[in-house]
Amino acid sequence: LVPRSALTRHTLILGETGSGKTQSAILPVLASIVRAGSDVSCALVIDPKYELLPAIRSMAGPGVQVRLLRPSEDSLDLMSGSRSVAEDIAAGRWMTAARKMLARASGFAPSPACVLAGKAASSPTNHFWEQQGADYAQAALALTLLISQKEVWPKILSAATPMQRGQLDAFGELAGLSGSRKSAPPVNVLARAKCALDVLVADELTTAFLLDIAGLECESGEAVDLRREFEYRNATRRAEQQYVGVLAETRLCFEPFAGPAASRSLLFGVEGAAPTVDFSAAVDAESGSTIFVLQPEDNSADTLFARAVKASFFESVLASEARRERGAEMPLVIYAADEFHRLITSDSTHGEQSFFDRARSFGAGCVVATQAVSSVVHSLSVAREPAVGTAVKLLLVNTGTKMIFRSTEADVRNLLDSISPGTGPNRVTTLRPPSSLRPGECYASLPDGRFERRQLKPLDLSRETR
């Protein structure tokens, strides 16, 4: 078994394709986690190359439950716990709830809504369009929340003209407010908002009608705010370029969550459906083990779902009162991810660098693998994450075990030079650079300060499963 003290100091595995890092490092660590007698209550394993699940299933000992997560079958509530908007909805604070939802969504998908979460625009020239688009998205989502209320919708339908009723039926079908979709899986509110934007909000007369009827049900005064917002947007129709630009940015706020997969798997606490993925019970369990395995495909919908799953797992660990008080005494929770750069974020609440820094006191350990340091930098940059350099440095500082397999990347060589003994021509990496390592051979920097070059044996699954 890998010692608990080493797992909670976290492990970073680097190596190019074919270097042996999966068979010689990732799988042996996973074997120690899932075999019978391991001190692990819960683990989330990201398996993008479909290599880990068969091994996990074959190695799992008695009492270990292996659950495969699928975006097409599983759903998450992104606004659970402290982020719940239930009170805002009950009090009619539609704009407040909409802002919280969009800010949360922008943590998983790059969009103009990121400005609502305090992030910078992608470039100075885009700031105006993104801010305007985010503001309009907030208003469109707030109106969607308002008109989707059960007590409001019948009044809207009864007051509609035949032409308006045709538009409303298209929205009602998607929102599950009318027609055959009542028995269909719930569609998230951002997908509803995109539909509302396309078929309702974009029409000036229909928007005014909705505000007139829905405003009767709004006691918080936010119907007035909504009216002002839409009156301003209607005024910009005369500046066609501006109006079209704002609409385009507004749609970008909703589109990642409006696709068929995301619209049913990523919920926002107002859809009336219970999420099927909840890590809290497994995180707090003191007997038995649950291994959650996620195999995201390389597409935007799966990446979105996987980032949300990762965030939910991190947040479940950090929200556990039992682990906050006595995490060192409880069974471990483990986050293990191959090609982890594909899902990396640097958010202060669910970014890897933040979780790695706090996880040890909660009895949590992380094992992550990727091909190169530059892969991590690139992914954070593309996602427009703030302080990319600082996030990468914190990741490196907070991984007590580093296993570096064959690599020709300059950043990997620089990392090795910074942690290896010796200087100049006597440095071990000068005598044996990482580009010359054989498959299964690696440099290992260990939590106790040792630095070694090792030839690791690939895991023999036939022996593990006897």
Side-chain angles (χ1 to χ4, degrees):
L1 293 175
V2 178
R4 180 188 180 107
S5 59
L7 286 173
T8 55
R9 291 284 300 277
H10 315 311
T11 300
L12 172 66
I13 302 168
L14 290 167
E16 62 188 34
T17 300
S19 62
K21 66 179 185 294
T22 299
Q23 294 294 325
S24 301
I26 301 173
L27 284 176
V29 173
L30 288 177
S32 71
I33 291 170
V34 304
R35 61 165 59 124
S38 67
D39 184 33
V40 173
S41 63
C42 177
L44 172 64
V45 179
I46 309 295
D47 179 23
K49 295 189 293 187
Y50 293 72
E51 294 178 332
L52 307 181
L53 178 61
I56 289 172
R57 281 177 167 162
S58 67
M59 295 185 294
V64 177
Q65 177 186 356
V66 181
R67 178 180 171 185
L68 178 63
L69 301 180
R70 296 182 177 93
S72 59
E73 299 178 11
D74 296 298
S75 61
L76 285 167
D77 178 4
L78 300 182
M79 307 303 294
S80 60
S82 62
R83 289 188 172 83
S84 173
V85 294
E87 290 186 9
D88 295 313
I89 297 295
R93 295 190 291 266
W94 316 108
M95 292 285 276
T96 301
R99 185 181 186 90
K100 288 180 179 178
M101 290 175 178
L102 286 169
R104 175 68 162 159
S106 69
F108 310 115
S111 83
C114 70
V115 301
L116 297 175
K119 294 184 181 181
S122 58
S123 72
T125 56
N126 288 342
H127 179 74
F128 175 80
W129 297 113
E130 292 197 358
Q131 184 65 63
Q132 294 281 299
D135 289 344
Y136 200 27
Q138 184 181 354
L141 179 53
L143 182 61
T144 302
L145 290 169
L146 177 53
I147 66 177
S148 296
Q149 299 305 297
K150 292 181 179 179
E151 67 276 10
V152 176
W153 185 249
K155 296 179 181 180
I156 291 175
L157 287 179
S158 63
T161 66
M163 183 177 295
Q164 289 169 337
R165 198 177 186 88
Q167 291 178 303
L168 292 168
D169 283 341
F171 172 77
E173 283 286 324
L174 178 80
L177 296 167
S178 59
S180 60
R181 284 189 180 270
K182 287 184 178 179
S183 59
V187 174
N188 75 40
V189 70
L190 265 64
R192 297 183 203 173
K194 184 177 184 298
C195 179
L197 183 70
D198 291 340
V199 303
L200 302 177
V201 179
D203 179 69
E204 183 177 351
L205 293 177
T206 303
T207 305
F209 159 73
L210 291 172
L211 287 170
D212 285 340
I213 302 301
L216 299 175
E217 306 296 328
C218 187
E219 300 177 359
S220 67
E222 290 206 5
V224 176
D225 295 334
L226 283 170
R227 184 176 296 281
R228 288 172 181 160
E229 180 68 34
F230 287 112
E231 285 176 352
Y232 169 72
R233 297 302 160 198
N234 289 332
T236 65
R237 290 175 189 269
R238 290 189 294 271
E240 184 175 351
Q241 182 181 2
Q242 178 181 347
Y243 185 71
V244 171
V246 169
L247 273 180
E249 295 295 323
T250 303
R251 289 189 174 96
L252 287 175
C253 293
F254 299 134
E255 282 181 355
F257 293 86
S263 68
R264 289 168 175 77
S265 63
L266 299 175
L267 307 178
F268 290 84
V270 297
E271 292 83 2
T276 60
V277 180
D278 185 356
F279 296 110
S280 55
V283 162
D284 285 341
E286 300 202 36
S287 62
S289 298
T290 304
I291 312 297
F292 297 89
V293 182
L294 179 61
Q295 295 181 319
E297 295 184 11
D298 192 11
N299 59 56
S300 57
D302 274 29
T303 298
L304 193 65
F305 181 76
R307 282 181 175 164
V309 166
K310 180 201 73 171
S312 179
F313 181 76
F314 288 179
E315 289 161 3
S316 295
V317 174
L318 299 179
S320 170
E321 292 291 339
R323 290 195 168 276
R324 183 177 290 109
E325 294 171 1
R326 52 188 188 89
E329 303 169 10
M330 298 180 69
L332 281 168
V333 290
I334 297 292
Y335 171 65
D338 195 8
E339 302 293 320
F340 85 103
H341 65 275
R342 286 172 46 179
L343 309 179
I344 192 170
T345 54
S346 65
D347 185 276
S348 60
T349 55
H350 53 71
E352 276 81 350
Q353 89 291 347
S354 178
F355 184 69
F356 282 27
D357 188 44
R358 301 176 61 191
R360 188 176 189 185
S361 61
F362 287 79
C366 304
V367 181
V368 294
T370 187
Q371 293 188 29
V373 176
S374 60
S375 300
V376 177
V377 174
H378 175 71
S379 294
L380 289 172
S381 300
V382 168
R384 291 161 46 185
E385 294 287 346
V388 170
T390 301
V392 173
K393 287 179 182 178
L394 287 172
L395 278 171
L396 297 177
V397 167
N398 284 311
T399 47
T401 299
K402 297 178 181 65
M403 304 177 71
I404 299 174
F405 290 77
R406 186 180 63 221
S407 174
T408 58
E409 190 204 24
D411 285 344
V412 170
R413 174 66 180 267
N414 293 337
L415 172 62
L416 269 175
D417 287 344
S418 69
I419 61 178
S420 63
T423 58
N426 296 320
R427 191 184 298 275
V428 294
T429 53
T430 301
L431 301 173
R432 188 70 186 278
S435 59
S436 66
L437 296 177
R438 299 184 297 271
E441 187 179 17
C442 73
Y443 284 109
S445 175
L446 305 175
D448 59 9
R450 286 180 295 158
F451 183 89
E452 303 174 354
R453 190 177 82 240
R454 295 181 175 181
Q455 179 67 52
L456 303 178
K457 292 183 179 180
L459 181 70
D460 186 348
L461 287 175
S462 63
R463 294 183 60 186
E464 289 289 328
T465 56
R466 284 177 186 172

